[in-house]
Amino acid sequence: MSAQRLPSKLDQLKTMTAVVADTGDMEAIRAFTPTDATTNPTLILKAAQLKAYEPLVNEAIVWGRSHHRLTSEVADRLAINFGEELTKIVPGRVSTEVDADLSFDVEGTVAKGRAIIAEYERRGVGRDRILIKIAATWEGARAAEILQREGIDCNMTLVFSLAQAVACADAGAFLISPFVGRILDWHVKAQGKSFTAETDPGVLSVRQIYDYFKAHGVSTVIMGASFRNKAEIEALAGCDRLTISPQLLDELARDDGGLEQRLTPHIPPDRIPAKLDLDEKTFRFMLNEDAMATEKLAEGIRVFGGDLRALRELVSQRLLAAADGEFASL
């Protein structure tokens, strides 16, 4: 009699962690049936160049031309077009990102967050289905504090340190996204060595944040992000949520080995971190003392900013093509 096959590691993971698709590719999301989906300018830029999603792009272009809208407004509409479609596929939340160039602008971030939610609600998508994605700067945390008071839930992205995580939690943010793989990248380059899943600095960072939140009764959801390999995901099984690329979702779906839950909310007394009391000066000093977090936060904002500019350039080209009476294929 043959041994009974275990469920795939992806199916096992879903029993202990909410799985989120880190992509704008809807076919990939349909294939892996995640709970939530998250996007950013990089992912929207990639998806917008796929022929399958040309109707979403064309709708935004036609709207922009007929309403005489700015390129930035058309790019915003395109992101919301993708987000609206994603809400039809996943049962949970979809994250839509605020412009990276607003990362240090409290009022601008609040205004953009309100505008995104208003457009979703105009389309019949309730705010309970959307997360406003904001960079985890001090200003981002202050903007999230305002939006959360208005019932607009926020996903704080580009989290690389406990100080960022705590500042976002203190602001009442619904969710934070620690970037596991980017933390690993920095340490590999800085130390010139490789790491196992158990010594991976990105994995250890998320475990530290998880222990802090659970030990101190913090309700903010922790969603590990930016994975470089399947082992990192397995080492964080049990985290509140994990947002995973289609490639790694596929690897997990094809693996029928056992998966152990590594994170649980019952933190032993010897692992309870000291509580942090953060004001702006303390936050900025702690971030400055952490070279990795300082550099990766700045780099992440630059990268998202560059991809946002590329997305707007793509939209600008399509607007020009529309003005000439043609819709050239992306």
Side-chain angles (χ1 to χ4, degrees), residues 28-99:
I29 294 171
R30 288 189 180 96
F32 298 110
T33 62
T35 302
D36 294 350
T38 181
T39 65
N40 58 43
T42 307
L43 299 174
I44 294 293
L45 179 62
K46 290 178 182 176
Q49 296 177 77
L50 298 175
K51 192 167 183 63
Y53 307 122
E54 196 162 308
L56 299 180
V57 180
N58 287 346
E59 190 283 335
I61 299 301
V62 170
W63 174 84
R65 286 285 301 160
S66 61
H67 291 82
H68 308 289
R69 297 293 183 170
L70 298 172
T71 298
S72 59
E73 294 175 294
V74 179
D76 288 346
R77 187 175 183 89
L78 178 55
I80 293 171
N81 282 355
F82 273 92
E84 182 185 12
E85 289 302 308
L86 290 171
T87 64
K88 299 173 184 176
I89 302 171
V90 298
R93 304 276 193 142
V94 171
S95 292
T96 297
E97 189 148 341
V98 167
D99 302 345

Side-chain angles (χ1 to χ4, degrees), residues 10 28 39 58 61 112 139 153 174 183 188 201 206 256 271 311 326:
L10 180 58
T39 65
N58 287 346
I61 299 301
K112 181 55 69 76
E139 293 81 3
D153 288 337
F174 178 83
I183 295 174
V188 167
V206 175
D256 61 358
R271 283 214 335 253
L311 179 62
E326 61 179 274

Side-chain angles (χ1 to χ4, degrees), residues 10 14 19-34 36-40 42-44 46-47 50 53 86 226-230 233 242-255:
L10 180 58
K14 288 178 180 179
V19 172
V20 180
D22 194 11
T23 181
D25 185 345
M26 292 167 213
E27 292 311 310
I29 294 171
R30 288 189 180 96
F32 298 110
T33 62
D36 294 350
T38 181
T39 65
N40 58 43
T42 307
L43 299 174
I44 294 293
K46 290 178 182 176
L50 298 175
Y53 307 122
L86 290 171
S226 174
F227 294 105
R228 296 293 177 259
N229 54 67
K230 183 162 60 76
I233 297 167
L242 297 174
T243 181
I244 305 170
S245 69
Q247 176 188 339
L248 292 175
L249 286 171
D250 185 59
E251 289 184 27
L252 290 165
R254 293 173 183 275
D255 188 340

Side-chain angles (χ1 to χ4, degrees), residues 41 97-104 135 300-306 308:
E97 189 148 341
V98 167
D99 302 345
D101 54 15
L102 297 175
S103 297
F104 305 100
I301 292 170
R302 284 195 301 271
V303 169
F304 283 161
L308 176 63

